[in-house]
Amino acid sequence: MVNSKPSDRHTNSTVIKALTVLEKVAFANGGISLADLVKELDMPKTTIYRLIETLKHCDYIHLDANTERYFVGWKTVQIGVSGLNNIEVVDIAAPYLTKLAEKTGETAFLAGYYNGEIVYLYKKEGTQSIRTTAQLGMRRPVHCTAVGKAILSTFTWEEVEKILGEKGMKKYTENTITDVHKLRKEILEIKRNGYAIDREEIEIGLTCYAVPIFNFTGNMAGSIGLGGPTMRMRENQNVFTSQLKETAFQVSRMLGYVPKIGGE
């Protein structure tokens, strides 16, 4: 989220406030009302309304007259899509994830890491896939998503502890890992097995597997995942994780990654 108390003296506070409002609208599932914006933001109602009218006039958000809720406008979507199209990893990974989704019938994901969270950069649904709440551009926690845990497995434990200390370990389902020591044990398991698992930790009925990907510098470039109904995913765990590892290797290779001799 936008830092509402910037220290840089050149930062324009009005721009920060406008971006804060825009982010609230963008990440609100099903839109958001003016009353909810006032409730959630530390700004006067008149200020929020003025910013909303400006953003609406410029097509960054729009108002649904029937529900009186605000949604992102076409210009915001256009900018977001343009930004994604300029990310090299998306261009490279997309065809491989399309093949993976077609081969398995499940939903394939590409996720990036940003400020302690994962961001979905690409999503391809297979022929048998079920609808998930994960949408393009959405941010999700790292501790309870397969793509997030795969990314954490590339960090030092000190880095992981710092992230968890800042972001917390919110409980989403009865299966969500909320104990730091239990997560550490699982990350060690991910390193051994080469893939992470989300065991209905963020959505009941949904199980996901994920593997990190790397770029030419040898650094983590994100992770790719495969998700579907728990029973089907469990029945095909060995096959799906093997295909996922192979896809991750191909994507990493296209990003210029060269495994260390005797290493990954």
Side-chain angles (χ1 to χ4, degrees):
M1 297 292 287
V2 172
N3 182 358
S4 59
K5 294 180 179 180
S7 57
D8 189 340
R9 63 188 177 85
H10 299 296
T11 302
N12 188 306
S13 62
T14 301
V15 174
I16 291 293
K17 289 176 182 177
L19 290 174
T20 301
V21 171
L22 181 59
E23 285 185 346
K24 274 293 181 185
V25 173
F27 293 111
N29 188 19
I32 190 168
S33 66
L34 177 60
D36 286 337
L37 282 170
V38 173
K39 192 183 303 181
E40 295 183 25
L41 296 175
D42 185 23
M43 299 182 207
K45 181 177 180 178
T46 52
T47 299
I48 294 174
Y49 182 75
R50 175 171 51 81
L51 293 170
I52 279 178
E53 286 300 300
T54 301
L55 290 167
K56 188 152 65 81
H57 175 74
C58 296
D59 294 318
Y60 285 105
I61 64 175
H62 79 270
L63 174 67
D64 185 320
N66 295 320
T67 63
E68 295 189 342
R69 299 179 76 81
Y70 293 95
F71 296 82
V72 293
W74 70 268
K75 192 172 287 185
T76 301
V77 174
Q78 185 180 46
I79 290 173
V81 171
S82 176
L84 288 176
N85 287 337
N86 287 324
I87 299 177
E88 183 185 34
V89 68
V90 176
D91 294 332
I92 289 174
Y96 290 99
L97 293 182
T98 297
K99 289 180 182 178
L100 182 63
E102 291 173 350
K103 187 182 296 184
T104 62
E106 309 298 349
T107 302
F109 301 94
L110 168 67
Y113 175 79
Y114 178 74
N115 195 28
E117 297 175 305
I118 61 100
V119 181
Y120 290 105
L121 302 177
Y122 184 80
K123 175 182 177 181
K124 180 63 179 180
E125 295 182 349
T127 55
Q128 301 182 76
S129 62
I130 59 172
R131 185 175 294 277
T132 73
T133 59
Q135 301 297 327
L136 196 64
M138 178 182 285
R139 295 184 186 182
R140 280 274 177 85
V142 289
H143 73 284
C144 57
T145 54
V147 286
K149 287 190 280 187
I151 286 173
L152 287 183
S153 72
T154 69
F155 295 162
T156 65
W157 182 245
E158 289 71 23
E159 291 171 325
V160 173
E161 283 188 312
K162 186 174 185 295
I163 293 167
L164 299 178
E166 293 174 352
K167 297 296 181 179
M169 297 179 72
K170 181 180 176 181
K171 188 177 184 66
Y172 289 85
T173 74
E174 59 184 16
N175 298 321
T176 305
I177 297 176
T178 56
D179 180 81
V180 174
H181 302 293
K182 188 174 180 180
L183 182 62
R184 183 175 189 178
K185 183 178 178 181
E186 180 153 338
I187 288 176
L188 291 173
E189 191 175 320
I190 294 168
K191 291 176 183 287
R192 285 194 299 269
N193 297 333
Y195 63 90
I197 308 177
D198 161 13
R199 304 172 178 86
E200 300 187 336
E201 295 168 51
I202 197 160
E203 289 185 52
I204 292 296
L206 179 70
T207 290
C208 301
Y209 306 121
V211 178
I213 55 175
F214 302 88
N215 60 24
F216 68 96
T217 66
N219 293 322
M220 178 272 298
S223 63
I224 62 171
L226 194 65
T230 293
M231 184 176 294
R232 202 160 64 217
M233 295 300 288
R234 286 178 179 171
E235 288 175 348
N236 296 283
Q237 181 170 338
N238 291 337
V239 175
F240 285 172
T241 54
S242 177
Q243 293 172 334
L244 196 55
K245 287 180 183 179
E246 176 60 26
T247 301
F249 174 75
Q250 292 173 345
V251 173
S252 296
R253 186 176 61 180
M254 292 301 295
L255 289 170
Y257 176 63
V258 178
K260 296 177 182 177
I261 297 175
E264 298 177 286

